[in-house]
Amino acid sequence: MTAHLQPTGSAYFISPETAAAESHTLSVLVDNEPGVLARVIGLFSGRGYNIESLTVSETEHQAHLSRITVVTRGTPQVLEQIKAQLERIVPVHRVVDLTVRARDLGQERPIEREVALLKVVGSGETRAETLRLADAFHAKVVDATVEHFILEITGKSSKIDQFIAIIKPLGLIEVCRTGIAAMNRGPQGM
């Protein structure tokens, strides 16, 4: 990749088109009504933007509001374009880039967590090793038979990725992940 340098007085800067892609967490407050999720996701797919994680849930039952958390990757210019296009969708009330907001407030990245269920089949020593690793990673056994375990783990995506990699050779046969739920630190709401 070559950077396009443009003069600004006596200094040079890298033009936005060549800026590196970053991962950002967007929180979108929408009306909880049929078709809203399809419209939001359609915006991403129609423009070729990738979604790394997607979580949706009603957050305010009385107000019929849902929160969509989207993790996507792009240059700052592309991310601004995504936010502007999301804000134009009628049932969207608010779009917050949690990553940028945290940076602007001088905070660390937002709190991001996900839940994963893992089904592990095994017996004997592999079964004991699975339980030792589950304990080390604070995973809970939520179902068990003499043939398998279903483990539940909550944490950062990187922790879950690491746990999956370690458990895989011990008989991991299935994984189900929720996607990222995120919230900024501090007393301010969305």
Side-chain angles (χ1 to χ4, degrees), residues 4-159:
H4 297 34
L5 297 178
Q6 297 177 347
T8 60
S10 62
Y12 283 85
F13 70 94
I14 298 175
S15 64
E17 317 67 72
T18 59
E22 304 174 329
S23 181
H24 280 247
T25 303
L26 305 177
S27 189
V28 185
L29 191 63
V30 299
D31 287 336
N32 185 12
E33 59 185 45
V36 174
L37 179 60
R39 291 176 68 189
V40 169
I41 301 315
L43 181 143
F44 282 83
S45 65
R47 288 160 182 80
Y49 304 141
N50 189 39
I51 294 174
E52 295 178 3
S53 175
L54 173 68
T55 315
V56 184
S57 182
E58 185 175 61
T59 57
E60 297 181 43
H61 183 69
Q62 298 298 332
H64 301 289
L65 294 176
S66 289
R67 183 172 177 152
I68 301 172
T69 305
V70 181
V71 178
T72 190
R73 191 167 202 59
T75 64
Q77 182 180 8
V78 166
L79 291 163
E80 283 302 317
Q81 185 179 26
I82 290 171
K83 289 188 298 187
Q85 291 170 349
L86 282 170
E87 288 170 343
R88 284 191 284 242
I89 297 175
V90 172
V92 172
H93 293 275
R94 187 147 189 227
V95 179
V96 176
D97 184 337
L98 297 176
T99 308
V100 168
R101 187 167 179 200
R103 191 179 314 145
D104 290 347
L105 295 172
Q107 299 171 342
E108 298 175 39
R109 285 188 60 91
I111 302 291
E112 296 181 349
R113 297 291 184 266
E114 75 174 302
V115 177
L117 297 174
L118 294 84
K119 186 180 288 186
V120 183
V121 174
S123 61
E125 186 54 39
T126 58
R127 190 172 174 84
E129 182 64 14
T130 300
L131 287 174
R132 280 191 292 273
L133 289 168
D135 187 51
F137 277 83
H138 304 290
K140 296 188 298 189
V141 176
V142 293
D143 185 53
T145 68
V146 294
E147 301 161 340
H148 81 282
F149 289 112
I150 296 180
L151 304 170
E152 175 187 310
I153 185 169
T154 302
K156 293 181 179 181
S157 296
S158 58
K159 173 187 173 182

